Amino acid sequence: MGASLNLRAAALSVALLLVFLGLWHLAVQGGGTGAAVDPDYARLMGIQVTQGASAMPGPAEVGSRLWQHLSDPFYDNGPNDKGLGIQLAYSIGRVMLGYLLAVAVAIPLGFLIGMSPLVSRAIDPFIQVLKPISPLAWMPLALYTIKDSGISAIFVIFICALWPMLVNTAFGVASVRREWINVARTLEVGVLRRAFTVILPAAAPTILTGMRISIGIAWLVIVAAEMLVGGTGIGYFVWNEWNNLSITNVIIAILVIGLIGMLFDQLLARLTRMVTFPE
Amino acid sequence: MFKNPFDDRTTLQGTGCACGRHASQGEHDRQFRAAQVSAGTETQYETAVAGAVMRAIFPQDATRRAFLRAVGVPAALAAVSQVFPLGLATEVFAEGGAIEKPDLKIGFIPITCATPIIMAAPMGFYARHGLNVEVIKTAGWAVIRDKTLNKEYDAAHMLSPMPLAITMGIGSTPQRYAMPAVENINGQAITLALKHKDRRDPKDWKGFKFAVPFDYSMHNYLLRYYLAEHGLDPDTDVQIRAVPPPEMVANLRAENLDGFLGPDPMNQRAVYDGVGFIHILTKEIWEGHPCCAFAASRDFIETLPNTYAALLKSIIDATAFASKAENRKDIAAAIAPANYLNQPEIVLEQILTGTFADGLGNIVRQPNRVDFDPFPWQSFAVWILTQMKRWGQVKGEIDYNAIAREVFLATDTAKLMAEAGLTPPKEVTKTFVVMGKTFDPAAPEAYLDSFPIKRAN
């Protein structure tokens, strides 16, 4: 039954995709040939005018351009023109760096907040204020104070990825069952040992859920940050192609951003399953 | 060698020496030189240049003495040191010293205004002057400003009002900025959505939504000027928004904008994509107006004078090359790839050669649709300042000429233009005509008062 359910779901997915591609193809069909224009004039105009083509590319066009990008992902033509693979590598590198910094800060701090009701109440207002701030709001401030756009982008990822992890870690630590901690206490287990052997395993699923939310946010943030800062990365690629009004390449970038985001999410989901325990 | 121009006791006719402490002028000079050598070559150099500046400011010995007696030498030195680093830079030009920093980063916005800055890379103008320049495409004017202020970029492509705004600290913290070269003159246009092709009279434009690329831009001032001359108040009768150039075309297509005064290639791109038509070129508003600029911080100019000289020479050479009509096709091909403007070559060719489709079915021939002349006329700066004041960006009294002199470095450019085989003008200001009205840089306030539509100040 399970296998056949999977099979049927896959078939339905493919069917939905085909319907979507078909509708897309039909929707962007141009209105035949454009009005008859003087050939000298036509030479100076784009295909939208001369052939009445739609400004929106069809799936075939996107597919063939995607193939071009994928067949040569690592070319490097100087500072402003690099392959999709290189751009993605820059973005992933920035995300990993900012994210790992956030992990290094959020988890110890989350433990502290979760284990001490006093600290928890004291820090809570700050978290509540800082949590909803958009990455783009941090960017000018970061550029102005850090004075380096590369580090600013990483800082923005750090600051945006921090809060969900912090809140989830604190929540996970705070909601470890009292009985387990009391048992540890009766056995005279020290604070550090209690944190690592009792609280950490018990809170691990919640912590990893926080980390999973954060990686999603970090990947959202990098595109916005790179669009603003420019230079390298998939966000810059989108901006650059937008500048060229190349909707085809923008669609390709959106597709790739989605796929990488999904990979990150699946990775963390798998890790979460590894630390989940039945009660 | 030099008479010390800071000495108010210097005698003019030669009995004894200048200071009166030595038997002859020769003896005085020997002592003076010995003192200078012991003080180190650096000081000697500074003395010489400060002297030159002092002489330039007070060519009459009598007035110089009167001034020195009135304010004292330290105050005079302090006053001169305001302009002194420029003097140092100028002196070093003549000597052509070693380049301190050959690897440079220059930011640009991908529009045709940046042509000399960009083409100098693929066409080898930077390399010819011993520089290894990376030109980096940047996402917006504010980012260009911030990245130059924090020294990620050594110099940058800017809108010509920006160095003025930055120096005065409007829209950012004040930083001393300089604009040694104008990148392009003319080269903008008013583009309207195709649906307005029968509404060519600006008097019918009430309620229109327009876009310009940045508040401190020639685009903004020219559009406001054009509308006001046709009796429309740009703040109340229409809406003017700051929109990044690529979004101008997309918004025009989405009918979210009625038109824009934007940089090319966006005007021609709107035509090419069939969403708009070119209403007028900005050269019809002001023939020969400046637009974008090559800008650098005073800090860069002062700490790396030889590098700055080499860089400016490359830019001026490239500008001279771009100003020749026969080179324009090659330039279009050089700057079209993804690395630079990332546009169809035919679009750039139409802009640079001036033979273009206007979007209404006509082929127009305007060979100087965009032109290149690096000379930073200080009266351009004064005009920009009058418009900043006119529209309330600057309030209160401003010293037009002092700011213009501080930012638009006409003297350096004139010298390098002559070396590049161009003929720089002898003056640094000139009068010009904007929409039939003559602008006299000597009377900016009177010009400002002559406009019926302006913000109270």
Side-chain angles (χ1 to χ4, degrees):
Chain A
M1 188 65 194
S4 90
L5 179 67
N6 278 344
L7 209 65
R8 279 187 293 156
L12 190 57
S13 291
V14 170
L16 283 174
L17 180 67
L18 288 178
V19 169
F20 170 72
L21 290 178
L23 287 176
W24 178 8
H25 181 73
L26 288 177
V28 299
Q29 284 303 304
T33 54
V37 277
D38 168 45
D40 279 341
Y41 189 75
R43 195 181 67 83
L44 303 175
M45 304 298 281
I47 50 164
Q48 288 164 36
V49 177
T50 50
Q51 297 166 23
S54 165
M56 195 72 188
E61 200 183 334
V62 171
S64 78
R65 191 75 71 83
L66 180 62
W67 180 248
Q68 277 175 31
H69 280 294
L70 292 183
S71 54
D72 187 11
F74 297 109
Y75 73 88
D76 188 350
N77 291 342
N80 309 312
D81 185 17
K82 296 182 200 300
L84 206 53
I86 296 185
Q87 306 283 25
L88 279 173
Y90 271 106
S91 296
I92 293 173
R94 286 192 187 120
V95 164
M96 286 330 283
L97 209 61
Y99 179 73
L100 290 179
L101 280 173
V103 170
V105 172
I107 291 181
L109 200 61
F111 255 78
L112 186 70
I113 297 171
M115 287 169 81
S116 155
L118 172 72
V119 177
S120 168
R121 291 216 180 164
I123 289 191
D124 190 59
F126 297 102
I127 298 180
Q128 296 307 328
V129 169
L130 292 170
K131 198 169 62 168
I133 296 172
S134 143
L136 294 183
W138 286 110
M139 203 67 221
L141 188 66
L143 263 180
Y144 192 81
T145 48
I146 300 176
K147 298 196 186 300
D148 182 294
S149 56
I151 302 175
S152 299
I154 291 165
F155 165 79
V156 168
I157 301 219
F158 163 80
I159 201 83
C160 293
L162 190 66
W163 312 113
M165 271 193 274
L166 191 63
V167 171
N168 268 278
T169 307
F171 173 75
V173 169
S175 51
V176 172
R177 288 221 201 151
R178 298 311 302 169
E179 296 92 344
W180 297 351
I181 294 175
N182 289 340
V183 169
R185 267 217 190 102
T186 15
L187 294 172
E188 293 190 350
V189 177
V191 177
L192 261 187
R193 198 163 163 220
R194 192 161 77 220
F196 278 105
T197 55
V198 180
I199 300 176
L200 183 62
T206 326
I207 296 175
L208 273 161
T209 307
M211 288 172 69
R212 189 173 163 190
I213 298 172
S214 277
I215 194 84
I217 289 179
W219 190 242
L220 280 181
V221 168
I222 192 68
V223 176
E226 285 171 347
M227 278 182 95
L228 206 65
V229 171
T232 47
I234 190 72
Y236 168 76
F237 178 84
V238 173
W239 173 80
N240 195 14
E241 293 306 332
W242 171 222
N243 202 52
N244 179 25
L245 299 164
S246 166
I247 304 299
T248 317
N249 279 331
V250 171
I251 293 175
I252 287 171
I254 290 173
L255 198 66
V256 172
I257 292 168
L259 285 173
I260 301 281
M262 187 186 77
L263 282 180
F264 273 135
D265 191 67
Q266 290 304 308
L267 200 72
L268 266 295
R270 189 150 293 183
L271 280 177
T272 314
R273 277 203 293 280
M274 278 166 63
V275 296
T276 309
F277 54 90
E279 277 191 37
Chain B
M1 212 171 66
F2 292 139
K3 287 181 192 171
N4 182 358
F6 288 97
D7 191 345
D8 62 337
R9 290 162 303 172
T10 305
T11 50
L12 298 174
Q13 299 97 347
T15 49
C17 78
C19 71
R21 270 172 298 186
H22 305 96
S24 69
Q25 187 63 40
E27 175 67 24
H28 171 95
D29 286 347
R30 266 193 300 283
Q31 291 269 335
F32 187 57
R33 268 198 294 276
Q36 280 183 323
V37 168
S38 63
T41 47
E42 190 76 47
T43 333
Q44 180 186 357
Y45 196 64
E46 282 179 15
T47 317
V49 179
V53 173
M54 199 64 196
R55 276 173 221 284
I57 298 175
F58 297 105
Q60 300 286 320
D61 280 355
T63 34
R64 187 177 77 236
R65 282 153 192 246
F67 174 69
L68 288 170
R69 265 197 293 273
V71 302
V73 171
L77 254 177
V80 169
S81 70
Q82 298 250 305
V83 276
F84 165 61
L86 176 58
L88 174 64
T90 318
E91 285 289 312
V92 174
F93 279 150
E95 302 188 4
I99 288 169
E100 301 92 345
K101 185 183 174 196
D103 297 316
L104 299 175
K105 286 193 164 79
I106 300 185
F108 73 94
I109 301 280
I111 53 180
T112 47
C113 299
T115 298
I117 289 179
I118 305 172
M119 60 173 261
M123 297 182 127
F125 286 92
Y126 294 126
R128 192 181 301 168
H129 290 282
L131 296 171
N132 174 27
V133 173
E134 220 179 299
V135 287
I136 300 172
K137 205 185 291 187
T138 312
W141 294 111
V143 180
I144 283 247
R145 180 195 62 207
D146 291 345
K147 284 194 170 184
T148 349
L149 291 183
N150 68 29
K151 299 201 171 65
E152 276 181 61
Y153 294 159
D154 298 287
H157 164 212
M158 281 192 182
L159 295 155
S160 50
M162 282 172 70
L164 292 167
I166 295 172
T167 301
M168 289 191 287
I170 48 176
S172 69
T173 46
Q175 294 262 348
R176 291 174 66 234
Y177 241 73
M179 197 195 102
V182 171
E183 276 301 289
N184 70 307
I185 55 175
N186 300 333
Q188 326 302 318
I190 297 182
T191 299
L192 295 181
L194 269 186
K195 65 178 174 191
H196 296 309
K197 66 172 185 285
D198 298 322
R199 300 171 75 184
R200 299 291 293 271
D201 186 353
K203 292 190 175 63
D204 300 337
W205 292 356
K206 257 194 180 155
F208 269 30
K209 284 177 277 190
F210 285 103
V212 294
F214 199 62
D215 284 346
Y216 307 104
S217 67
M218 288 305 292
H219 311 89
N220 190 17
Y221 305 137
L222 289 174
L223 179 62
R224 284 169 172 269
Y225 199 108
Y226 182 75
L227 293 171
E229 288 297 297
H230 285 96
L232 293 178
D233 186 317
D235 285 314
T236 54
D237 293 335
V238 298
Q239 240 187 62
I240 299 181
R241 310 170 178 169
V243 174
E247 290 169 31
M248 290 177 175
V249 179
N251 275 308
L252 207 61
R253 192 199 309 272
E255 306 204 338
N256 198 21
L257 282 178
D258 295 291
F260 57 80
L261 198 157
D264 269 316
M266 293 315 160
N267 301 297
Q268 199 59 46
R269 188 65 196 259
V271 171
Y272 179 83
D273 285 0
V275 297
F277 68 93
I278 292 177
H279 169 66
I280 57 163
L281 299 177
T282 49
K283 70 190 273 290
E284 293 166 40
I285 300 176
W286 169 2
E287 173 73 51
H289 70 80
C291 182
C292 285
F294 167 71
S297 69
R298 281 292 189 135
D299 196 42
F300 172 75
I301 297 176
E302 286 159 18
T303 52
L304 307 169
N306 298 341
T307 314
Y308 162 68
L311 185 55
L312 188 52
K313 273 182 201 165
S314 327
I315 299 276
I316 289 174
D317 276 1
T319 313
F321 184 82
S323 69
K324 297 196 178 72
E326 67 269 24
N327 299 330
R328 298 278 178 87
K329 260 193 164 165
D330 296 339
I331 296 172
I335 64 175
N339 219 345
Y340 305 110
L341 290 195
N342 199 12
Q343 290 285 344
E345 197 180 315
I346 185 74
V347 170
L348 299 183
E349 201 182 298
Q350 291 182 67
I351 296 159
L352 290 170
T353 61
T355 300
F356 60 94
D358 67 351
L360 298 169
N362 313 307
I363 297 178
V364 182
R365 283 179 183 82
Q366 295 265 21
N368 57 348
R369 169 178 177 169
V370 57
D371 210 343
F372 301 92
D373 176 2
F375 193 72
W377 289 98
Q378 286 171 357
S379 40
F380 287 173
V382 176
W383 187 88
I384 291 169
L385 292 169
T386 62
Q387 300 304 304
M388 285 179 165
K389 204 168 168 188
R390 180 180 183 186
W391 304 118
Q393 289 180 335
V394 187
K395 299 237 177 341
E397 290 289 305
I398 45 175
D399 188 345
Y400 294 94
N401 285 308
I403 299 170
R405 244 194 334 266
E406 159 100 9
V407 179
F408 280 43
L409 301 183
T411 334
D412 288 6
T413 311
K415 196 163 182 176
L416 295 178
M417 278 173 77
E419 282 178 32
L422 297 174
T423 41
K426 293 206 167 43
E427 304 289 317
V428 292
T429 61
K430 65 170 176 181
T431 58
F432 43 82
V433 177
V434 185
M435 289 187 83
K437 189 179 240 170
T438 306
F439 172 67
D440 175 8
E445 286 292 337
Y447 182 69
L448 197 48
D449 288 338
S450 71
F451 296 114
I453 299 181
K454 61 171 181 278
R455 300 285 77 80
N457 228 303

